[in-house]
Amino acid sequence: MASIRDLTEYVIQADIEKVKETTAALLAAGEDPLRLINEGLIPGINEVGERFKEGIMFVPEMMMSAQAMKAGVDLAKEKIEGVDIPTVGTVVIGTVAGDLHDIGKNLVSMMLDSSGFNVVDLGVDVPADKFVAAVKEHKASIVGLSALLTTTMPAMKEVIDALKESNLRDQVKVVIGGAPVTQAYADEIGADGYAPDAAIAVELCKKIA
Amino acid sequence: MEYASKHGDGIAFRTLTLQQLKDIHSASCRILDEVGVVVHHDEAVDLLKKGGAYIDSNGRTHIPEALIKRALHSAPSRITLYNRLGEPVIWMEKSNVHFGAGSDTLVYLDPFTGERRDWTTEEVAAAIRVVDALPQLDFVMSMGLLSDVDKRMINRIQYALMLKNSVKPQVVIAEDAPTVADITEMAAAAVGGREKLKNMPHFVLYCEPTSPLQLPFESVDKLLYAAENKIPVNFACGAVEGASTPVTVAGTVAQANAEALCGLVLHQLKNPGAPFLYGFGGSPLDMRTMVACYAVPEVLLLQGCVCDLSRFYSLPSWGYAGCSSSKDFDEQAITEATMFTVMGALQGCNLMHDVFYIESGRTGSLELLVLMDEVISRARHILKGVNTTPEYLAVEAVKRVGPGGNYMGDAHTAKHFREKWQPSLSDFSSYSSWEAAGSKSMRERIRERLRSIMEEHKPVPLAPEVEEKIDAVIKQAEDRLGIKL
C-alpha cells in the first residue's frame, strides 16, 4: 500500500496517473483528504519549487508537477465539499485591448496557478470594463496586464483609469509586463509593479499579495 | 538546388535532405489542413473560402494542399530591390546573400560611454548613417524605437529618417495598413513616383502571424495591402520554441512553415504574382530563465531549414545574422554574431537582418555592427570559393619559379595578390609596429572607425522638394491622428 510520502514523490516526478491512483487508494482506505493535500501533495510542489530555484528542475517540469498535484487535489476535494481550500490570493490577468499576444501572459498565468494563486485569466484583447467587472466578481487583489505592442501599451493606462473610476484602484495592485514594457512606463502610468519575466512576476505577486 | 559558391559545386552547406524537405512540407500541409488557422480579417476569410478553404463551425480556416500548390506556382522565385537612386542593389534568389541591420531595439548602448538609454531621434538618424556608410551592409532597418515622439508616429518617423539618412533599400515594420500607405507615399516621393516604386521596389515590408496559427487583423491587412501594391513582403513568425511553437527544431519548422505558407496563399489569392519573401526565425525559450534566446545553435539549424525549404519552393529567403543574446558587446556577442553571420552566408540566405542586435533584440550595439561589417566581408570572401582554372592552378608559374625559387618576384604573384582578402579592422602588423601605433585593441579600432563615420559620413541627400513631400506626409498623418505638437 502506497503512503502519503509516495504521493509527494509522484508529484515531484509529475506522474499524473500514479498521483491519481495513490490519492484514490488512500482516500478509499479512509485517509483524511486535507491531510493528503497538506502533507502529501503540497510538499511535492514545494520541493519542485526549491529544485527550480536551485536550477535542477526547469519550468516545463514544474508545470507537469503542478498538473499532477492538481489531479490529486481535485480527487481529494470531492471528499471535502464545502470546505474552502486556501489560496495565496486572486489575480485577474489578461492581454489588453487590441493585442492578441498571450504566450508571456499564459506563462505568468500558469506559473501563478502553480504557485497557489487563484488565477482568473480573461484571455486576449480584453477591454478595460471587463477587467473592472472581473475584479468585482472575483474580489481580486492583483490585476496583471500584458501587452506586446507599443501601440497597445496605452490600453494598460486605460485599465488603471477604469479601476479608478470604479473606485476599485485602492483595493487592487496592478502589475504590468510584456516585451516593450519598462519600469519607467509602469511608473508613468501609475502601475504598482513591473516584471520583466514570468518568474519575477510570480515573486512580485507573492510580495504584494 | 543551387548553393552559394561561385565556382563549381564548391562551398555548400546543406541542412536537410530532399526526403526531409518533403516530410516537413507534408507536416506543414497537415497542420493547415487538419488543425487550421484562425484568421481575424473578414476579407481574408472570404478570399480563402472562395479559393477553396473550409471554415469549420469553430471559425477555424482549413487550407487544402491544392491552394498551397497554386500559390507556390504563381509566386515569383526572385525579387530585385533598388536603392533610392534607382540602382538595382539586392538580388534575392538562389543562394545570394545580403545583410542588414535590425529594427526597434528598446535600448541604445552608447558605443563611447557604455551607457544604456532610450533611443532619441538624433541617435537613430546617426545609427542609420553608420549603416549607410558600412560597405557590407546592404539594407537599413529602423534601429531603435524613438522615445521622443508620439507612439503612434514612431514607424512613420523612423521611415522618414531612413530615407533621409541612407540611400540603401529598407526593411520596414509598420503597425497597420494606413502606416504602410504613408510609408509607401514617402518612398514614392523619394524614388520618383508610385508606378516606379511598384515596379522597382525600394523596401520590403515585415509582417508576422501570431503563433500558434493565428492571423491578426493588422498583419493580414498589411499583407493584403502589400500584395495589391506589389510591395515585397514576408509573413515570418518569430518562433518562441517551447511556447509559441513546438520545442523541437523540426516541430517549429513544420508550424512556422505552415504559417508562412498560409500567408503566401492569402497573398497570392489577393494578387497572383506579387513578390513574397519566404522565411521565419526562432528564439527558443530558455526553460531556466524563461528568456527567449537569440543565436543559439538550434536557431542556426532552423535557418538552415528555412534556406533549404526556400530553394525547394523556389522562393527568395529571409533570415537573421550578426545578432546575439548577450547583454553587452562582449566575447559572447562576438561568438554568437559571428557564428550566425558565417552560417547564414554558407546557408545562402537571401536577406539577413538584425546585424547589431544584442540582448536578444532589446539592445542595439553599433560596435557589433562595425565589427560584423568585417566578419561579413570575410564570409563573402569564403563564398567566392576556389577558382581552379589553369591560370589559378598556376602550373606555368611553378615552372618559372622552380625548385628552391621564390614566388615573391614572379608576375603571377603581382597579378593576383590584390585578390586576397583585406581587413578593414583586423591588424596584421608585427608586434613592434602594432605597439608603436599605440597597442590599439580591436575594440578601440572599432570605436575609432565609428567616430570617424559619425563625424565624416554624409549620405547622398534628398532633393529639397522631396524632403518637403516627406515632411508633408508626416504632418498629414499627425493631423489625421489628432497629434498636437
Side-chain angles (χ1 to χ4, degrees):
Chain A
M1 173 79 192
S3 70
I4 286 194
R5 208 166 296 152
D6 293 327
L7 212 46
T8 306
E9 194 48 44
Y10 294 145
V11 169
I12 296 169
Q13 289 169 7
D15 192 330
I16 295 186
E17 286 316 308
K18 283 267 173 59
V19 167
K20 277 190 190 165
E21 216 173 85
T22 310
T23 307
L26 289 168
L27 287 170
E31 193 61 75
D32 173 18
L34 265 181
R35 193 172 157 241
L36 282 189
I37 294 174
N38 290 328
E39 295 175 29
L41 297 165
I42 289 183
I45 202 70
N46 284 346
E47 174 59 25
V48 169
E50 284 304 313
R51 292 188 192 184
F52 173 70
K53 269 187 203 153
E54 287 165 26
I56 301 165
M57 285 179 84
F58 291 177
V59 175
E61 291 156 338
M62 195 160 85
M63 287 180 172
M64 297 311 287
S65 287
Q67 281 181 26
M69 178 195 70
K70 276 227 155 61
V73 170
D74 287 346
L75 284 177
K77 265 187 185 172
E78 287 170 9
K79 300 277 177 189
I80 41 172
E81 210 68 49
V83 180
D84 265 347
I85 309 286
T87 65
V88 185
T90 296
V91 184
V92 165
I93 191 169
T95 303
V96 295
D99 207 322
L100 293 178
H101 295 88
D102 63 357
I103 298 289
K105 185 266 297 167
N106 288 348
L107 196 63
V108 173
S109 193
M110 286 189 276
M111 285 179 67
L112 283 172
D113 195 45
S114 312
S115 308
F117 282 90
N118 172 32
V119 181
V120 181
D121 191 334
L122 302 177
V124 297
D125 193 11
V126 182
D129 54 352
K130 234 178 134 183
F131 279 103
V132 171
V135 167
K136 277 187 198 156
E137 188 190 336
H138 301 281
K139 299 188 180 57
S141 55
I142 297 174
V143 175
L145 305 175
S146 173
L148 184 83
L149 306 172
T150 52
T151 46
T152 55
M153 278 164 62
M156 293 178 152
K157 185 167 183 303
E158 285 165 22
V159 176
I160 293 179
D161 291 343
L163 287 167
K164 277 184 198 156
E165 274 164 32
S166 318
N167 293 318
L168 290 167
R169 184 66 188 89
D170 298 338
Q171 298 167 32
V172 292
K173 303 282 189 194
V174 177
V175 297
I176 65 173
V181 178
T182 59
Q183 182 64 52
Y185 188 69
D187 297 341
E188 185 188 322
I189 65 167
D192 299 294
Y194 152 74
D197 64 48
I200 296 177
V202 174
E203 291 296 309
L204 183 66
C205 288
K206 279 183 180 164
K207 208 158 61 185
I208 63 177
Chain B
M1 271 183 282
E2 296 182 60
Y3 286 99
S5 174
K6 301 285 181 270
H7 294 288
D9 288 335
I11 294 154
F13 185 89
R14 181 178 55 70
T15 305
L16 300 167
T17 62
L18 186 57
Q19 188 56 49
Q20 285 182 301
L21 287 164
K22 288 177 178 170
D23 291 344
I24 289 172
H25 176 72
S26 164
S28 302
C29 288
R30 282 191 57 198
I31 290 170
L32 289 175
D33 186 14
E34 296 169 25
V35 185
V37 294
V38 178
V39 184
H40 296 272
H41 193 289
D42 293 343
E43 187 198 345
V45 174
D46 221 44
L47 273 171
L48 288 164
K49 204 172 171 182
K50 279 186 192 142
Y54 160 66
I55 321 289
D56 70 18
S57 55
N58 297 317
R60 279 200 205 168
T61 304
H62 300 257
I63 298 170
E65 197 197 351
L67 261 176
I68 299 163
K69 278 195 171 153
R70 208 189 306 161
L72 284 169
H73 184 70
S74 62
S77 56
R78 62 173 316 288
I79 304 170
T80 304
L81 280 184
Y82 296 78
N83 69 12
R84 169 149 65 72
L85 312 173
E87 300 156 346
V89 286
I90 288 179
W91 298 269
M92 290 181 270
E93 63 177 317
K94 303 176 193 171
S95 292
N96 294 348
V97 299
H98 302 90
F99 298 86
S103 66
D104 297 327
T105 56
L106 298 168
V107 179
Y108 174 56
L109 179 63
D110 189 309
F112 306 113
T113 66
E115 191 197 341
R116 288 163 49 85
R117 56 174 184 267
D118 294 345
W119 288 86
T120 63
T121 300
E122 194 30 65
E123 281 159 355
V124 165
I128 293 167
R129 285 195 293 273
V130 174
V131 179
D132 188 65
L134 292 172
Q136 302 298 330
L137 274 293
D138 304 298
F139 62 94
V140 299
M141 286 186 75
S142 72
M143 310 304 279
L145 266 184
L146 304 170
S147 64
D148 52 357
V149 305
D150 189 287
K151 281 200 167 60
R152 293 164 289 176
M153 287 301 293
I154 289 176
N155 296 150
R156 292 177 179 87
I157 294 175
Q158 284 170 332
Y159 191 69
L161 290 173
M162 288 191 256
L163 279 178
K164 289 177 183 179
N165 291 284
S166 178
V167 296
K168 293 181 179 177
Q170 313 96 8
V171 176
V172 167
I173 310 270
E175 62 210 44
D176 50 22
T179 307
V180 184
D182 284 342
I183 286 170
T184 308
E185 202 60 44
M186 287 188 263
V191 303
R194 287 296 282 261
E195 210 39 42
K196 192 168 172 193
L197 179 68
K198 210 170 182 175
N199 292 290
M200 298 168 72
H202 183 43
F203 71 92
V204 170
L205 180 65
Y206 191 167
C207 289
E208 48 190 349
T210 302
S211 301
L213 304 166
Q214 302 177 94
L215 279 65
F217 176 83
E218 280 79 12
S219 289
V220 173
D221 218 35
K222 287 185 286 183
L223 184 71
L224 297 181
Y225 182 92
E228 211 175 349
N229 293 280
K230 290 173 76 178
I231 298 165
V233 65
N234 62 8
F235 202 66
C237 110
V240 181
E241 290 95 321
S244 68
T245 63
V247 75
T248 51
V249 173
T252 291
V253 172
Q255 186 194 307
N257 184 42
E259 291 167 342
L261 289 176
C262 174
L264 174 75
V265 163
L266 199 45
H267 181 262
Q268 293 296 307
L269 283 171
K270 178 72 181 177
N271 186 7
F276 185 88
L277 185 56
Y278 171 86
F280 42 84
S283 47
L285 208 55
D286 178 81
M287 292 301 178
R288 192 188 310 247
T289 59
M290 290 294 107
V291 171
C293 297
Y294 269 40
V296 291
E298 291 85 352
V299 171
L300 274 51
L301 279 172
L302 177 129
Q303 180 148 303
C305 298
V306 168
C307 293
D308 287 356
L309 278 163
S310 81
R311 285 179 288 258
F312 178 66
Y313 291 140
S314 286
L315 292 171
S317 58
W318 160 260
Y320 298 67
C323 53
S324 166
S325 49
S326 187
K327 264 59 69 185
D328 196 5
F329 171 59
D330 61 1
E331 289 83 350
Q332 182 188 340
I334 295 166
T335 305
E336 292 174 340
T338 300
M339 277 187 76
F340 216 154
T341 300
V342 174
M343 286 299 293
L346 292 174
Q347 289 160 344
C349 187
N350 296 156
L351 207 61
M352 287 173 268
H353 76 304
D354 284 353
V355 177
F356 105 118
Y357 266 22
I358 59 172
E359 204 201 347
S360 300
R362 284 181 185 77
T363 299
S365 164
L366 295 182
E367 290 165 284
L368 182 62
L369 183 76
V370 170
L371 176 60
M372 283 305 116
D373 186 67
E374 179 170 303
V375 172
I376 294 167
S377 157
R378 286 174 183 257
R380 283 192 155 134
H381 197 84
I382 293 170
L383 292 187
K384 288 181 182 170
V386 178
N387 190 335
T388 50
T389 57
E391 170 69 12
Y392 282 77
L393 285 168
V395 176
E396 293 309 314
V398 177
K399 275 189 197 167
R400 277 195 302 276
V401 172
N406 189 334
Y407 290 94
M408 185 76 95
D410 191 79
H412 186 263
T413 306
K415 190 175 171 191
H416 292 292
F417 84 97
R418 282 187 187 276
E419 297 163 13
K420 296 256 175 241
W421 182 79
Q422 284 298 315
S424 54
L425 290 164
S426 291
D427 186 292
F428 295 162
S429 61
S430 68
Y431 190 90
S432 55
S433 334
W434 175 73
E435 195 178 32
S439 310
K440 282 177 195 157
S441 69
M442 185 61 145
R443 193 161 191 162
E444 286 170 291
R445 296 196 296 272
I446 287 169
R447 285 181 185 165
E448 275 180 8
R449 177 112 197 269
L450 251 181
R451 206 180 283 281
S452 77
I453 289 173
M454 284 175 150
E455 282 166 8
E456 289 158 26
H457 178 70
K458 300 256 183 302
V460 179
L462 288 162
E465 64 272 21
V466 172
E467 275 214 40
E468 273 170 32
K469 277 187 195 163
I470 290 168
D471 293 340
V473 174
I474 296 287
K475 179 76 179 56
Q476 282 158 15
E478 281 167 347
D479 290 347
R480 221 166 39 238
L481 295 166
I483 296 165
K484 292 188 191 77
L485 295 178

